[in-house]
């Protein structure tokens, strides 16, 4: 039973050293359904910042390369502020997911 709790908590804590890879490995290796459930949740929660970061970068590059250079000078402040706001939102979501993973690991170990 303690080994199952440890594997479940390790899936959540892997956010800090091996995000989304370790929960996926544990999910396929583990035989216990509870461990699989927790590692599936850890995997999904750790993919959220990665997917949002990829979407953010794609939107950033699309906007930067599709805006004409003369129009870029006019919307420079809007572009810079949108970069900052987007990055701040992404950082906040990543921070929330990191705290959520830590809380879930602590809950599992109790």
């Amino acid at each position: 039973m303690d080994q199952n709790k440890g594997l479940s908590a390790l899936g959540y804590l892997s956010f800090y050293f091996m995000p989304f890879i370790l929960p996926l490995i544990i999910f396929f290796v583990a035989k216990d359904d509870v461990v699989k459930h927790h590692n599936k949740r850890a995997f999904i929660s750790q993919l959220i910042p990665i997917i949002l970061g990829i979407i953010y970068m794609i939107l950033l590059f699309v906007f930067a390369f599709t805006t004409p250079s003369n129009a870029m000078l006019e919307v420079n402040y809007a572009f810079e502020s949108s970069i900052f706001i987007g990055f701040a939102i992404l950082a906040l979501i990543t921070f929330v997911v990191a705290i959520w993973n830590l809380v879930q690991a602590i809950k599992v170990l109790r």
Side-chain angles (χ1 to χ4, degrees):
M1 188 63 156
D2 289 332
Q3 183 180 10
N4 291 341
K5 285 183 177 184
L7 284 174
S8 297
L10 186 63
Y12 289 115
L13 293 174
S14 70
F15 180 83
Y16 301 101
F17 60 91
M18 226 171 132
F20 84 88
I21 295 172
L22 190 59
L24 191 62
I25 292 171
I26 294 172
F27 178 80
F28 286 118
V29 172
K31 293 179 175 84
D32 188 28
D33 289 336
V34 175
V35 175
K36 286 184 179 246
H37 170 74
H38 283 291
N39 280 284
K40 182 171 56 171
R41 289 179 67 198
F43 175 74
I44 291 169
S45 72
Q46 294 170 13
L47 273 183
I48 291 170
I50 294 170
I51 291 171
L52 291 177
I54 291 170
I55 291 170
Y56 172 71
M57 292 304 293
I58 289 171
L59 290 175
L60 181 68
F61 284 119
V62 166
F63 183 75
F65 290 120
T66 58
T67 305
S69 60
N70 59 353
M72 190 61 128
L73 295 175
E74 297 171 5
V75 295
N76 197 15
Y77 293 117
F79 182 66
E80 289 173 358
S81 63
S82 65
I83 289 173
F84 178 74
I85 291 170
F87 184 75
I89 290 170
L90 180 62
L92 179 66
I93 290 171
T94 303
F95 179 73
V96 168
V97 169
I99 297 300
W100 184 84
N101 275 292
L102 183 61
V103 168
Q104 292 303 315
I106 292 169
K107 279 184 178 180
V108 166
L109 289 175
R110 285 188 175 190

